[in-house]
């Protein structure tokens, strides 16, 4: 049994062209909007409250640290995306560099990452949706407004469940329809972010930024590990490789452009919201912190627009994250590591429709039944682990296959990827032990599944 057997890039390219294939319909503009659609959402509209209570106004530094960490890993992703234009993202990249076992581990990790990301965002979306309809005098029964909590009187988060099922239906129709809806919603939420900046800057009081770091650098580091969730999504762009018209050139552009635009917006919005209100006032308003800031300064109409923007914005996050999860499951299934069920493509719609409905239903149930806070931390740990492996993999590929054509090259190899590893590990150790324990349990389950099923069903096992 060879746990480090690899697939060649040529084999993957040949395999991706067989049978009913996915429809190529995405360009650089679409990929950038796909990235922005995934990145701007829960992080900016929800986690700013929890982050401010953890770091104070120094939250802006937390966002910069998390953004730099993602940027370091993004260079490695961009190089792989330009030379391995195949669905599967980090899973596929690991398969061609390090081998099947670690590819399975990272694929299993990404399945958890995207599942919980969709679920966590659906939970945050529900909070803003309820805030939005409250402005019209509408209120859901308490039992249907949150994950099960006997003390709070909640049983199920019904809005979270329903929105994920709606997005699942949209994704089942095809990438063209999903792309159109995503692009429209991204334009709308960027308009809301611009509104936050241009209206909010008039209420900024420099004294609200003092003390800048009330809990020291440890608070800033802890907040960086939390708001790292805000940057999830740029890696999902690479999952769209087989539906991109010119993946070699356009995937790196989509990854880097979306990350750069979102980092700038995060920094500016954080300065505005922490400068407009004392950070301790976020206590008790963590579900809709940005909206509360404008209620605090007396701009209720802006707060209403923010609620609407958050409702729209987080829908695009769920759409792209669920899309990424489905495509990774599709790639793993095509390699034989997951049941064939996950790679069955609808002959007319050209989507992995069975996997779409299965994954969507699971994510909807998680979002309806599990609290947001723990979900986001677990997602962060899984994503950081993937970034570490990809940063190491790009170094390995440069050493083992230096002559491969690369339409984008990660600069500063090996030093820049090493910095990415250090930055990711730093954020990982900021997360609580309970999160680590849950993550390790998930990995242990994945290893059992691999040896009980995947290692025997692998296409490479039959080729040996």
């Amino acid at each position: 049994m060879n746990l480090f057997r690899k697939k060649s890039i040529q084999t993957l390219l040949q395999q991706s062209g067989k049978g009913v294939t996915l429809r190529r319909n995405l360009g650089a503009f679409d990929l950038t909007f796909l990235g922005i659609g995934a990145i701007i959402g829960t992080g900016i509209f929800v986690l700013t409250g929890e982050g401010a209570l953890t770091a104070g106004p120094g939250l802006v530094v937390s966002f910069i640290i998390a953004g730099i960490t993602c940027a370091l890993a993004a260079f490695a992703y961009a190089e792989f995306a330009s030379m391995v234009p195949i669905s599967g993202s980090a899973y596929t990249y690991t398969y061609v560099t390090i081998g099947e076992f670690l590819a399975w581990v990272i694929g299993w990790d990404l399945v958890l990452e995207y599942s919980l990301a969709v679920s966590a965002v659906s939970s945050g979306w529900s909070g803003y949706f309820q805030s939005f309809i409250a402005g019209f005098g509408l209120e859901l029964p308490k039992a249907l407004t949150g994950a099960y909590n006997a003390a709070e009187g909640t049983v199920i988060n019904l809005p979270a469940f329903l929105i994920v099922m709606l997005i699942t239906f949209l994704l089942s129709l095809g990438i063209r329809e999903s792309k159109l809806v995503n692009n429209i919603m991204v334009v709308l939420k960027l308009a809301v972010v611009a509104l936050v900046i241009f209206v909010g800057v008039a209420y900024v009081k420099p004294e609200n930024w003092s003390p800048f770091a009330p809990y020291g650098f440890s608070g800033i580091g802890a907040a960086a590990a939390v708001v790292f969730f805000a940057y999830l999504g740029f890696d999902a762009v690479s999952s769209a490789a087989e539906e991109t018209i010119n993946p070699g050139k356009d995937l790196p552009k989509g990854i880097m452009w979306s990350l750069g635009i979102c980092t700038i917006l995060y920094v500016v919005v954080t300065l505005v919201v922490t400068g407009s209100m004392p950070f301790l006032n976020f206590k008790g308003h963590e579900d809709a912190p940005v909206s509360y800031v404008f209620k605090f300064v007396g701009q209720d109409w802006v707060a209403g627009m923010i609620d609407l923007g958050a409702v729209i914005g987080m829908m695009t996050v769920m759409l792209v994250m669920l899309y990424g999860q489905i495509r990774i499951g599709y790639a793993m299934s095509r390699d034989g590591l997951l049941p064939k069920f996950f790679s069955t493509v609808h002959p007319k719609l050209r989507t992995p429709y069975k996997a779409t409905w299965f994954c969507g239903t699971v994510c909807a149930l998680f979002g309806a039944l599990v609290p947001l806070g723990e979900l986001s931390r677990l997602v962060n740990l899984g994503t950081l682990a993937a970034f570490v492996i990809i940063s190491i993999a790009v170094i390995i590929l440069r050493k083992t296959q230096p002559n491969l054509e690369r339409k984008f090259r990660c600069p500063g190899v090996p030093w820049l990827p090493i910095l990415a590893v250090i930055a990711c590990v730093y954020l990982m150790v900021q997360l609580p032990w309970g999160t680590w324990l849950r993550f390790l349990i998930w990995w242990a389950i994945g290893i059992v599944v691999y040896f009980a099923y995947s290692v025997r069903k692998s296409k490479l096992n039959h080729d040996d």
Side-chain angles (χ1 to χ4, degrees):
M1 182 187 301
N2 182 6
L3 298 181
F4 299 99
R5 56 194 178 190
K6 305 180 184 72
K7 275 203 168 187
S8 70
I9 295 174
Q10 291 74 19
T11 300
L12 283 170
L13 291 172
Q14 292 170 2
Q15 186 185 56
S16 66
K18 293 180 179 179
V20 181
T21 59
L22 304 178
R23 181 178 284 118
R24 294 190 181 274
N25 210 272
L26 302 174
F29 176 84
D30 300 313
L31 293 168
T32 302
F33 266 47
L34 202 67
I36 295 173
I39 297 170
I40 295 182
T42 304
I44 200 168
F45 291 119
V46 177
L47 293 179
T48 45
E50 182 181 351
L53 291 171
T54 305
L59 175 64
V60 67
V61 179
S62 304
F63 271 110
I64 291 171
I65 291 172
I68 290 173
T69 301
C70 287
L72 292 172
F75 283 113
Y77 268 89
E79 175 166 327
F80 274 114
S82 72
M83 56 191 294
V84 191
I86 304 295
S87 291
S89 186
Y91 157 76
T92 300
Y93 307 153
T94 305
Y95 213 151
V96 300
T97 53
I98 304 176
E100 183 178 279
F101 177 66
L102 276 180
W104 164 265
V105 169
I106 206 64
W108 185 255
D109 170 24
L110 289 171
V111 166
L112 177 70
E113 172 199 330
Y114 286 123
S115 296
L116 296 189
V118 173
S119 304
V121 175
S122 71
S123 179
W125 180 90
S126 176
Y128 267 99
F129 175 74
Q130 293 174 56
S131 175
F132 177 68
I133 64 174
F136 297 94
L138 301 174
E139 188 174 344
L140 294 173
K142 183 70 173 178
L144 305 179
T145 60
Y148 178 75
N149 186 321
E152 295 285 336
T154 56
V155 177
I156 186 172
N157 195 330
L158 184 62
F161 178 83
L162 294 178
I163 189 59
V164 176
M165 295 310 296
L166 176 62
I167 288 169
T168 301
F169 170 72
L170 176 62
L171 285 172
S172 71
L173 296 179
I175 188 61
R176 182 174 56 191
E177 293 78 9
S178 302
K179 175 189 74 173
L180 177 62
V181 172
N182 178 72
N183 289 352
I184 292 171
M185 290 195 292
V186 166
V187 169
L188 292 174
K189 74 175 175 181
L190 286 177
V192 171
V193 171
L195 180 68
V196 169
I197 294 170
F198 290 119
V199 175
V201 72
Y203 296 93
V204 170
K205 298 178 180 178
E207 56 266 30
N208 287 331
W209 291 329
S210 181
F212 184 73
Y215 308 114
F217 193 78
S218 61
I220 290 174
V226 171
V227 301
F228 176 81
F229 185 87
Y231 288 95
L232 301 187
F234 79 84
D235 55 325
V237 172
S238 61
S239 297
E242 289 184 45
E243 288 152 290
T244 300
I245 299 169
N246 188 357
K249 292 184 178 180
D250 290 345
L251 282 170
K253 291 178 182 177
I255 290 170
M256 304 308 296
W257 290 354
S258 60
L259 184 59
I261 291 168
C262 294
T263 299
I264 293 170
L265 292 176
Y266 278 166
V267 168
V268 176
V269 169
T270 301
L271 286 171
V272 168
V273 298
T274 57
S276 300
M277 183 182 77
F279 75 92
L280 290 175
N281 287 25
F282 283 109
K283 185 69 175 177
H285 302 282
E286 293 92 337
D287 285 346
V290 180
S291 174
Y292 178 71
V293 168
F294 285 89
K295 291 177 182 177
F296 178 83
V297 299
Q299 293 288 344
D300 288 354
W301 73 275
V302 179
M305 293 299 294
I306 292 169
D307 287 343
L308 177 60
V311 165
I312 295 172
M314 284 189 270
M315 286 175 66
T316 67
V317 177
M318 288 182 278
L319 187 150
V320 179
M321 291 295 190
L322 185 55
Y323 169 85
Q325 183 206 20
I326 294 163
R327 291 327 184 253
I328 288 169
Y330 168 81
M332 296 175 73
S333 172
R334 193 168 57 187
D335 292 333
L337 303 184
L338 287 178
K340 190 176 180 180
F341 168 91
F342 288 94
S343 56
T344 303
V345 177
H346 194 284
K348 183 178 179 180
L349 299 175
R350 305 274 288 277
T351 60
Y353 64 108
K354 292 181 180 179
T356 300
W357 283 104
F358 177 83
C359 295
T361 303
V362 171
C363 291
L365 290 171
F366 266 114
L369 300 172
V370 183
L372 170 64
E374 185 51 47
L375 286 177
S376 63
R377 287 179 175 81
L378 199 53
V379 173
N380 289 357
L381 185 53
T383 307
L384 287 164
F387 287 1
V388 167
I389 291 179
I390 291 305
S391 298
I392 294 172
V394 80
I395 299 173
I396 293 173
L397 196 64
R398 285 287 187 92
K399 293 289 186 182
T400 57
Q401 301 187 57
N403 297 322
L404 284 174
E405 180 185 1
R406 292 167 168 84
K407 295 182 179 179
F408 178 91
R409 295 178 69 89
C410 174
V413 175
W415 304 113
L416 189 144
I418 290 173
L419 284 176
V421 171
I422 293 171
C424 289
V425 171
Y426 168 75
L427 292 182
M428 291 171 78
V429 300
Q430 303 299 315
L431 294 166
W433 166 243
T435 301
W436 274 91
L437 181 60
R438 292 177 180 87
F439 181 66
L440 292 173
I441 291 172
W442 175 255
W443 262 11
I445 294 171
I447 291 171
V448 170
V449 173
Y450 177 75
F451 286 107
Y453 175 86
S454 303
V455 72
R456 293 182 293 104
K457 297 291 186 178
S458 168
K459 294 288 179 66
L460 283 187
N461 189 47
H462 295 291
D463 293 340
D464 288 347

